[in-house]
Amino acid sequence: QVQLVESGGGLVQSGGSLRLSCAASGLTSSDTAMAYAMGWFRRAPGKEREFVAVISGSGIVAYYVDSVKGRFTISRDNAKNTVFLQMNSLKPEDTAMYYCAVDLSRWGVSKDHQRYTYWGQGTQVTVSS
């Protein structure tokens, strides 16, 4: 049984920083060569789910939505089966529930939420102006 547990959300003022973590369990291997791509998505109230960032199993390839480029950084520690999202220069429009997810396809990295098989319960990020 694969489980993803997010943490690190909270309330922060505009311009502040947060670091989200996503701990995965139940995946077959923490070996880099076998690791799966993992992504972060978010959903703000009244809006559609939005892709935020994805990182390849090796950690070498990463993509971001344009609105967070230069402010957010995705990384991973395969030995600990954990993916991180460092969020700097936060803006009120970053307010949302943030979810991590794992893509088991091994077809590279994707921004399409339908590629992701398992999802965490989410962690709330609120940025005050």
Side-chain angles (χ1 to χ4, degrees):
Q1 181 75 12
V2 176
Q3 286 191 317
L4 303 176
V5 179
E6 302 96 334
S7 62
L11 173 63
V12 64
Q13 289 187 331
S14 181
S17 298
L18 285 173
R19 189 191 196 205
L20 306 185
S21 298
C22 172
S25 61
L27 295 172
T28 56
S29 174
S30 63
D31 187 292
T32 299
M34 299 294 293
Y36 299 105
M38 295 191 69
W40 285 96
F41 292 77
R42 65 186 179 187
R43 176 172 280 165
K47 294 188 177 181
E48 296 288 322
R49 176 170 39 190
E50 177 186 37
F51 163 80
V52 176
V54 59
I55 189 167
S56 64
S58 65
I60 294 175
V61 178
Y63 290 107
Y64 302 87
V65 66
D66 286 347
S67 61
V68 309
K69 286 180 181 177
R71 300 188 298 122
F72 291 12
T73 302
I74 189 171
S75 62
R76 66 189 300 157
D77 182 341
N78 285 341
K80 297 181 179 180
N81 279 333
T82 302
V83 176
F84 306 98
L85 186 67
Q86 178 66 44
M87 306 186 296
N88 298 328
S89 302
L90 282 162
K91 304 176 181 180
E93 50 264 44
D94 295 317
T95 295
M97 185 72 78
Y98 283 71
Y99 301 89
C100 69
V102 60
D103 175 1
L104 303 181
S105 71
R106 299 197 187 280
W107 293 342
V109 294
S110 174
K111 304 174 182 180
D112 182 358
H113 67 89
Q114 294 184 354
R115 275 270 296 269
Y116 293 79
T117 306
Y118 294 100
W119 295 77
Q121 292 299 306
T123 185
Q124 178 68 39
V125 172
T126 302
V127 184
S128 63
S129 57

